[in-house]
Amino acid sequence: MNFRDSGYALTYLGLAGIVFVTILGLEYAPGLKPCTGGGCWGAPEAYRILYLHVPFAWCSFLSFSVLFYGSLMWYLKRSEDAWVYFQSGSDLGVIFGLGVITSGPIWASAEWGRPWDWGDMRLNSFALLTAVALFLVYSRQSQPDTQQNRDTLSAVGLFGFALVPITAGATTWWETTHPEVLIVESSETLGMSPDIRSFLLISFGLMCILFTGLLLLSNKRYRLAAKVSGRKNELDQEAVS
Amino acid sequence: MSGITEAYIAYAIMLGLVIWFSRDVLTSISFLEMELESLSDEQPMSTEDE
């Protein structure tokens, strides 16, 4: 079995891992103290969303990186394989992006009392990033598959990727209501206990397995679709000649 | 309110998204494999046959 064929095994393993994270995250993961020296949490149990929300967000950045790779390679090589990566990256960007922009506001409603903060750079740039991926998916499906359209969509993919560093660094560069980058910079003084951080990293590891599996399967789907389309063209040409 | 209900709802949405997408990709792959197999066996229809 080569690496490309391991998509099935990785996807099933990743899905089982995410179900495992869900059970642990909702029932057994370390909890927050309702009140600490810094103040009281509005909804201390809602923070459990973070165990899946944060890995989803990181995997969405991985998806947008795949999209960027596909867009760039399409410009450089005009190869079918680059377009396969472009399609998979945009699909995965939508799935993981939607997961983030639905679970985030659910947590915010419980904790802040409002689902969205229109003045928050990270929330808005992330929503825009997901909207770009959604636009690419719908455009691919609704427009004829020509080289000109691929060029246009790849340009959007390339420029859309500029939002990734802006979104990732937003909480560091601007004052936002979104929680800061606690996972990377965390120390015990910042309030994230090592247990919570370990659990988050395990969740991210399992999510990466699922992400890799889905990327391999999605690539397989688009390669097969290209073969089917090529074979249909061959048959049409043979019938005409 | 502790927020546990919101946590269950958010987990259901996120799990639902990845399960739906996995199912969609797997279904598409098996459909495309079948289609490719049938196209491989197919001979081009000549203009006289039409």
Side-chain angles (χ1 to χ4, degrees), chain A residues 130-160:
Chain A
T130 307
V132 167
L134 201 57
F135 165 78
L136 293 175
V137 170
Y138 279 120
S139 301
R140 258 178 33 222
Q141 290 174 355
S142 60
Q143 301 297 312
D145 186 18
T146 60
Q147 180 159 331
Q148 285 80 4
N149 279 338
R150 287 186 181 191
D151 286 348
T152 309
L153 295 180
S154 296
V156 176
L158 281 176
F159 286 107

Side-chain angles (χ1 to χ4, degrees), chain A residues 1-13:
Chain A
M1 188 172 74
N2 63 28
F3 183 64
R4 279 184 179 180
D5 292 333
S6 58
Y8 291 98
L10 289 173
T11 300
Y12 289 127
L13 184 66

Side-chain angles (χ1 to χ4, degrees), chain A residues 72-155:
Chain A
L72 190 65
M73 294 316 283
W74 172 256
Y75 267 109
L76 295 177
K77 293 186 175 174
R78 293 285 196 283
S79 70
E80 192 59 41
D81 210 45
W83 191 245
V84 163
Y85 276 96
F86 176 92
Q87 294 176 100
S88 297
S90 52
D91 285 357
L92 289 168
V94 169
I95 293 301
F96 286 106
L98 283 178
V100 174
I101 60 168
T102 48
S103 60
I106 291 173
W107 175 80
S109 300
E111 183 59 37
W112 301 338
R114 62 185 196 282
W116 200 266
D117 179 357
W118 289 105
D120 188 296
M121 188 60 163
R122 174 172 271 192
L123 301 188
N124 293 312
S125 60
F126 195 91
L128 196 56
L129 199 53
T130 307
V132 167
L134 201 57
F135 165 78
L136 293 175
V137 170
Y138 279 120
S139 301
R140 258 178 33 222
Q141 290 174 355
S142 60
Q143 301 297 312
D145 186 18
T146 60
Q147 180 159 331
Q148 285 80 4
N149 279 338
R150 287 186 181 191
D151 286 348
T152 309
L153 295 180
S154 296

Side-chain angles (χ1 to χ4, degrees), chain A residues 60-80:
Chain A
S60 72
F61 289 146
L62 292 178
S63 310
F64 296 124
S65 304
V66 172
L67 173 63
F68 177 73
Y69 170 78
S71 305
L72 190 65
M73 294 316 283
W74 172 256
Y75 267 109
L76 295 177
K77 293 186 175 174
R78 293 285 196 283
S79 70
E80 192 59 41

Side-chain angles (χ1 to χ4, degrees), chain A residues 27 45 48 231-232 238-239, chain B residues 2 8 11 35 39 44-45:
Chain A
E27 298 294 333
E45 290 296 317
R48 291 175 183 280
R231 179 66 187 146
K232 280 181 179 170
E238 284 171 27
Chain B
S2 70
Y8 271 92
Y11 270 76
E35 196 176 5
L39 285 171
M45 196 185 288

